[in-house]
Coordinates of all heavy atoms in Angstrom, one line a residue:
M13 N 29.9 352.5 201.0 CA 30.7 351.3 201.4 C 32.1 351.5 201.0 O 32.4 351.9 199.9 CB 30.1 350.1 200.8 CG 30.9 348.8 201.0 SD 30.1 347.4 200.1 CE 31.3 346.2 200.4
N14 N 33.0 351.1 201.9 CA 34.4 351.2 201.6 C 34.8 350.3 200.5 O 34.4 349.1 200.5 CB 35.3 351.0 202.8 CG 36.7 351.3 202.6 OD1 37.4 350.5 202.1 ND2 37.1 352.4 203.1
A15 N 35.7 350.7 199.5 CA 36.0 349.9 198.4 C 36.6 348.6 198.7 O 36.5 347.6 198.0 CB 36.9 350.7 197.4
S16 N 37.4 348.5 199.8 CA 38.1 347.3 200.1 C 37.2 346.2 200.4 O 37.4 345.0 200.1 CB 39.1 347.5 201.3 OG 38.3 348.0 202.5
L17 N 36.1 346.5 201.1 CA 35.1 345.5 201.4 C 34.4 345.0 200.1 O 34.1 343.9 199.9 CB 34.1 346.0 202.5 CG 33.0 345.0 202.9 CD1 33.7 343.7 203.4 CD2 32.2 345.6 204.0
E18 N 34.0 346.0 199.3 CA 33.4 345.7 198.0 C 34.3 344.9 197.1 O 33.8 343.9 196.5 CB 33.0 347.0 197.3 CG 32.1 346.7 196.1 CD 31.6 348.0 195.5 OE1 31.9 349.1 196.1 OE2 30.9 348.0 194.5
D19 N 35.5 345.2 197.1 CA 36.5 344.4 196.3 C 36.6 343.0 196.8 O 36.7 342.1 196.0 CB 37.9 345.1 196.3 CG 37.9 346.4 195.5 OD1 36.9 346.6 194.7 OD2 38.8 347.2 195.7
L20 N 36.6 342.9 198.1 CA 36.7 341.5 198.7 C 35.5 340.7 198.3 O 35.7 339.5 198.0 CB 36.8 341.7 200.2 CG 36.9 340.4 201.0 CD1 38.3 339.7 200.7 CD2 36.8 340.6 202.5
C21 N 34.3 341.3 198.3 CA 33.1 340.5 197.9 C 33.2 340.2 196.4 O 32.8 339.1 196.0 CB 31.9 341.4 198.2 SG 31.6 341.6 199.9
R22 N 33.6 341.1 195.6 CA 33.6 340.9 194.1 C 34.6 339.8 193.7 O 34.4 339.0 192.8 CB 34.0 342.2 193.4 CG 32.8 343.2 193.3 CD 33.2 344.4 192.6 NE 32.1 345.3 192.4 CZ 32.2 346.6 192.0 NH1 33.3 347.1 191.7 NH2 31.1 347.3 191.9
Q23 N 35.7 339.7 194.5 CA 36.7 338.7 194.2 C 36.1 337.3 194.3 O 36.6 336.3 193.7 CB 37.9 338.8 195.1 CG 38.7 340.0 194.8 CD 39.8 340.3 195.8 OE1 40.0 339.4 196.7 NE2 40.5 341.4 195.8
E24 N 35.1 337.1 195.1 CA 34.4 335.8 195.3 C 33.9 335.3 194.0 O 33.7 334.1 193.8 CB 33.4 336.0 196.4 CG 32.7 334.6 196.8 CD 33.6 333.8 197.6 OE1 34.6 334.3 198.2 OE2 33.4 332.6 197.7
F25 N 33.5 336.2 193.1 CA 32.8 335.7 191.9 C 33.6 335.8 190.6 O 33.1 335.7 189.5 CB 31.5 336.5 191.8 CG 30.6 336.5 193.0 CD1 30.6 337.5 193.9 CD2 29.8 335.4 193.2 CE1 29.9 337.4 195.1 CE2 29.0 335.3 194.4 CZ 29.1 336.3 195.3
V26 N 34.9 336.2 190.8 CA 35.8 336.2 189.7 C 35.9 334.8 189.0 O 36.1 333.8 189.7 CB 37.2 336.8 190.1 CG1 38.2 336.6 188.9 CG2 37.1 338.2 190.5
G27 N 35.8 334.8 187.7 CA 36.0 333.5 187.0 C 34.7 332.8 186.7 O 34.8 331.8 185.9
L28 N 33.6 333.2 187.2 CA 32.3 332.6 186.9 C 31.9 333.0 185.5 O 32.0 334.2 185.1 CB 31.3 333.0 187.9 CG 31.5 332.4 189.3 CD1 30.3 332.8 190.2 CD2 31.6 330.9 189.3
D29 N 31.4 332.0 184.7 CA 30.9 332.3 183.4 C 29.4 332.1 183.3 O 28.9 331.1 183.6 CB 31.6 331.2 182.4 CG 31.2 331.4 181.0 OD1 30.5 332.4 180.7 OD2 31.7 330.6 180.1
A30 N 28.7 333.2 182.9 CA 27.3 333.2 182.9 C 26.7 332.3 181.9 O 25.5 331.9 181.9 CB 26.8 334.6 182.6
T31 N 27.5 331.8 180.9 CA 27.1 330.8 179.9 C 27.2 329.4 180.4 O 26.7 328.5 179.8 CB 27.8 331.0 178.6 OG1 29.2 330.7 178.8 CG2 27.7 332.4 178.1
D32 N 27.9 329.2 181.5 CA 28.0 327.9 182.1 C 26.7 327.4 182.7 O 26.1 328.1 183.4 CB 29.1 327.9 183.2 CG 29.5 326.5 183.7 OD1 28.6 325.6 183.6 OD2 30.6 326.4 184.2
P33 N 26.3 326.2 182.4 CA 25.0 325.6 182.9 C 25.0 325.6 184.4 O 23.9 325.6 185.1 CB 24.9 324.2 182.3 CG 25.8 324.3 181.1 CD 26.9 325.2 181.4
Q34 N 26.2 325.5 185.0 CA 26.3 325.5 186.5 C 26.4 326.9 187.1 O 26.6 327.0 188.3 CB 27.5 324.7 186.9 CG 27.3 323.2 186.7 CD 26.4 322.6 187.7 OE1 25.2 322.2 187.3 NE2 26.7 322.6 189.0
Y35 N 26.2 327.9 186.3 CA 26.5 329.3 186.8 C 25.6 329.6 188.0 O 26.1 330.1 189.1 CB 26.2 330.3 185.7 CG 26.3 331.7 186.1 CD1 27.6 332.3 186.2 CD2 25.2 332.5 186.4 CE1 27.7 333.6 186.6 CE2 25.4 333.8 186.8 CZ 26.6 334.4 186.9 OH 26.8 335.7 187.3
A36 N 24.3 329.4 188.0 CA 23.4 329.7 189.1 C 23.8 328.9 190.3 O 23.7 329.4 191.5 CB 22.0 329.4 188.7
V37 N 24.1 327.6 190.2 CA 24.5 326.8 191.3 C 25.7 327.4 192.0 O 25.8 327.5 193.2 CB 24.7 325.3 190.9 CG1 25.3 324.5 192.0 CG2 23.4 324.7 190.3
D38 N 26.7 327.7 191.1 CA 28.0 328.2 191.7 C 27.8 329.6 192.4 O 28.4 329.9 193.4 CB 29.0 328.4 190.6 CG 29.5 327.0 190.0 OD1 29.3 326.0 190.7 OD2 30.0 327.0 188.9
V39 N 26.9 330.4 191.8 CA 26.7 331.8 192.4 C 26.0 331.6 193.7 O 26.5 332.2 194.7 CB 25.8 332.6 191.4 CG1 25.2 333.8 192.2 CG2 26.6 333.1 190.2
V40 N 25.0 330.8 193.8 CA 24.3 330.6 195.1 C 25.3 330.0 196.2 O 25.3 330.5 197.3 CB 23.1 329.7 194.9 CG1 22.5 329.3 196.3 CG2 22.0 330.5 194.1
D41 N 26.1 329.0 195.8 CA 27.0 328.4 196.7 C 28.0 329.5 197.2 O 28.3 329.6 198.4 CB 27.8 327.3 196.1 CG 27.0 326.1 195.9 OD1 25.9 326.0 196.5 OD2 27.4 325.2 195.1
R42 N 28.5 330.4 196.3 CA 29.4 331.4 196.7 C 28.8 332.5 197.5 O 29.4 333.1 198.4 CB 30.1 331.9 195.5 CG 31.0 330.9 194.8 CD 31.9 331.5 193.8 NE 32.6 330.4 193.0 CZ 33.6 330.7 192.2 NH1 34.1 331.9 192.1 NH2 34.1 329.7 191.5
V43 N 27.5 332.8 197.2 CA 26.8 333.9 197.9 C 26.6 333.4 199.4 O 26.8 334.2 200.3 CB 25.4 334.2 197.3 CG1 24.5 334.9 198.2 CG2 25.6 335.0 196.0
L44 N 26.2 332.2 199.6 CA 25.9 331.7 200.9 C 27.2 331.5 201.7 O 27.3 331.9 202.9 CB 25.2 330.3 200.9 CG 23.8 330.3 200.2 CD1 23.2 328.9 200.3 CD2 22.9 331.3 200.9
G45 N 28.3 331.1 201.0 CA 29.6 331.0 201.7 C 30.1 332.4 202.0 O 30.7 332.5 203.1
L46 N 30.0 333.3 201.1 CA 30.4 334.7 201.4 C 29.7 335.3 202.6 O 30.3 335.9 203.5 CB 30.2 335.6 200.2 CG 30.6 337.1 200.3 CD1 32.1 337.2 200.5 CD2 30.2 337.8 199.1
G47 N 28.4 335.1 202.7 CA 27.6 335.6 203.8 C 28.0 335.0 205.1 O 28.2 335.8 206.1
R48 N 28.4 333.8 205.1 CA 28.8 333.1 206.4 C 30.2 333.7 206.8 O 30.4 334.0 208.0 CB 28.9 331.6 206.2 CG 27.5 330.9 206.1 CD 27.6 329.4 206.4 NE 28.3 328.8 205.3 CZ 27.7 328.2 204.2 NH1 26.4 328.3 204.1 NH2 28.4 327.6 203.3
R49 N 31.1 333.8 205.8 CA 32.5 334.2 206.2 C 32.5 335.7 206.6 O 33.3 336.1 207.5 CB 33.4 334.0 205.0 CG 33.8 332.5 204.7 CD 35.0 332.4 203.8 NE 34.8 333.2 202.6 CZ 34.1 332.7 201.5 NH1 33.5 331.5 201.6 NH2 34.0 333.4 200.4
M50 N 31.6 336.5 206.0 CA 31.6 337.9 206.3 C 30.8 338.2 207.6 O 30.8 339.3 208.0 CB 31.1 338.7 205.2 CG 31.9 338.6 203.9 SD 33.5 339.3 204.0 CE 33.2 341.0 204.2
G51 N 30.2 337.2 208.2 CA 29.4 337.4 209.4 C 28.1 338.1 209.1 O 27.6 338.8 210.0
A52 N 27.6 338.0 207.9 CA 26.3 338.7 207.5 C 25.1 338.1 208.3 O 25.1 336.9 208.4 CB 26.1 338.7 206.0
S53 N 24.2 338.9 208.6 CA 23.0 338.4 209.2 C 21.9 338.2 208.1 O 21.1 337.3 208.2 CB 22.4 339.4 210.2 OG 22.1 340.7 209.6
D54 N 22.1 338.9 207.0 CA 21.1 338.8 205.9 C 21.9 339.0 204.6 O 22.8 339.8 204.5 CB 20.0 339.8 205.9 CG 19.2 339.7 207.2 OD1 19.6 340.3 208.2 OD2 18.2 339.0 207.2
V55 N 21.4 338.3 203.5 CA 21.9 338.5 202.2 C 20.7 338.8 201.3 O 19.7 338.2 201.4 CB 22.6 337.2 201.6 CG1 22.7 337.3 200.1 CG2 23.9 336.9 202.3
H56 N 20.8 340.0 200.6 CA 19.7 340.4 199.7 C 20.1 340.2 198.3 O 21.2 340.6 197.9 CB 19.4 341.9 200.0 CG 18.9 342.2 201.3 ND1 18.2 343.4 201.6 CD2 18.9 341.6 202.5 CE1 17.9 343.4 202.9 NE2 18.3 342.3 203.4
L57 N 19.2 339.6 197.5 CA 19.4 339.5 196.1 C 18.2 340.4 195.5 O 17.1 340.0 195.5 CB 19.3 338.1 195.6 CG 20.5 337.2 196.0 CD1 20.2 335.7 195.8 CD2 21.7 337.6 195.1
Q58 N 18.6 341.6 195.0 CA 17.7 342.6 194.6 C 17.6 342.7 193.1 O 18.6 343.2 192.5 CB 18.1 343.9 195.2 CG 17.3 345.1 194.7 CD 15.9 345.2 195.3 OE1 15.7 344.8 196.5 NE2 15.0 345.7 194.6
P59 N 16.5 342.3 192.4 CA 16.4 342.5 191.0 C 16.2 344.0 190.6 O 15.4 344.7 191.2 CB 15.1 341.7 190.6 CG 14.3 341.7 191.9 CD 15.3 341.7 193.0

């Protein structure tokens, strides 16, 4: 994957604090928003 696209995606999650009780809520909101803006057909969360 080209770095510019990866950097664009990573910027979406800058500033999130994993110790914040709202972390999971904020991550999911941003994941879904990122998927819509990028025109993704699918979003994978792979453990």
Side-chain angles (χ1 to χ4, degrees):
M13 173 183 174
N14 188 281
S16 61
L17 182 54
E18 186 173 359
D19 289 344
L20 182 64
C21 293
R22 284 179 174 171
Q23 289 171 11
E24 185 72 19
F25 305 97
V26 171
L28 291 182
D29 181 1
T31 64
D32 187 333
Q34 285 291 109
Y35 178 79
V37 173
D38 292 339
V39 164
V40 169
D41 287 346
R42 297 192 188 194
V43 164
L44 298 180
L46 178 65
R48 289 195 292 266
R49 287 196 305 278
M50 298 297 291
S53 61
D54 302 86
V55 167
H56 294 201
L57 288 164
Q58 170 76 32

